[in-house]
Amino acid sequence: MSIAVCPGSFDPITKGHIDVAIRARTMFDEVIIAISTNAKKSYMFSVEERLELASECVADLDGIRVEISDGLIADYAKNVGASAIVKGLRGAADYDGEQAMALLNRHLTGVETVFVLGDPNLSHIASSFVKEIASYGGKIEDLVPANVAVAIRKKVGA
Ligand code: PNS
């Protein structure tokens, strides 16, 4: 059985992330959305909250599940027996950021990275912008699933 790992902070998960996971699922039997925490970053949601929100979003999607990943994603991918890490690209800037990481992950444990082009209609979505828009009272309902929009609004008090 082939397994793919989709890693990220998912603070919180967006429609863009889900699109990439669904596309990964067309190529792999099982897709694990692996939620990590970078000590240098500050998050709106705790890792448990990010896990809960993402799990709700994929509950009806066969073969896609969410887990928390501590440590290096290259180790995590190896430990779960993943054939590849799958990353979504929204454009060239994403690729520039991802290239070194993909090569380092391969260097670390031999895991390959597969890049997927997401739906161009979702290419403007980024968790950081969604949170910023919400903090100014802007509309986020088209950018994130309904449960996520509710959770963000609670956090920003809107
Ligand atoms: O969503 P993000 O914050 O851009 O995710 C970044 C990523 C994928 C690096 C992070 O979620 C992660 O997996 N961190 C674990 C540490 C790690 O493996 N870093 C990459 C070293 S090459």
Side-chain angles (χ1 to χ4, degrees):
M1 195 181 70
S2 62
I3 299 174
V5 172
C6 292
S9 299
F10 301 102
D11 185 48
I13 196 163
T14 67
K15 289 190 177 183
H17 293 133
I18 294 166
D19 171 58
V20 170
I22 291 170
R23 290 179 196 283
R25 178 67 182 86
T26 66
M27 297 179 278
F28 298 90
D29 298 318
E30 194 180 346
V31 171
I32 305 173
I33 294 174
I35 303 187
S36 65
T37 298
N38 179 337
K40 288 188 211 133
K41 283 191 183 176
S42 61
Y43 297 96
M44 175 176 275
F45 296 97
S46 70
V47 71
E48 292 81 14
E49 289 172 326
R50 288 180 269 147
L51 173 72
E52 190 183 338
L53 289 172
S55 300
E56 287 167 2
C57 293
V58 302
D60 294 336
L61 300 176
D62 181 51
I64 304 181
R65 64 193 166 89
V66 187
E67 287 191 359
I68 292 171
S69 149
D70 298 319
L72 289 171
I73 203 66
D75 288 334
Y76 178 84
K78 190 177 181 193
N79 291 341
V80 298
S83 313
I85 289 169
V86 173
K87 287 284 191 97
L89 296 179
R90 289 165 295 195
D94 276 351
Y95 180 77
D96 284 345
E98 295 294 340
Q99 184 188 11
M101 233 188 304
L103 291 172
L104 284 165
N105 284 331
R106 180 200 274 163
H107 170 83
L108 288 168
T109 62
V111 64
E112 298 290 349
T113 298
V114 171
F115 293 111
V116 171
L117 287 175
D119 182 343
N121 294 313
L122 303 174
S123 65
H124 55 302
I125 302 177
S127 299
S128 53
F129 288 134
V130 174
K131 289 179 283 190
E132 187 172 325
I133 292 165
S135 74
Y136 287 98
K139 188 170 178 288
I140 55 169
E141 278 66 21
D142 296 339
L143 308 174
V144 290
N147 64 320
V148 176
V150 169
I152 295 174
R153 294 226 171 278
K154 256 189 214 161
K155 286 278 182 193
V156 300

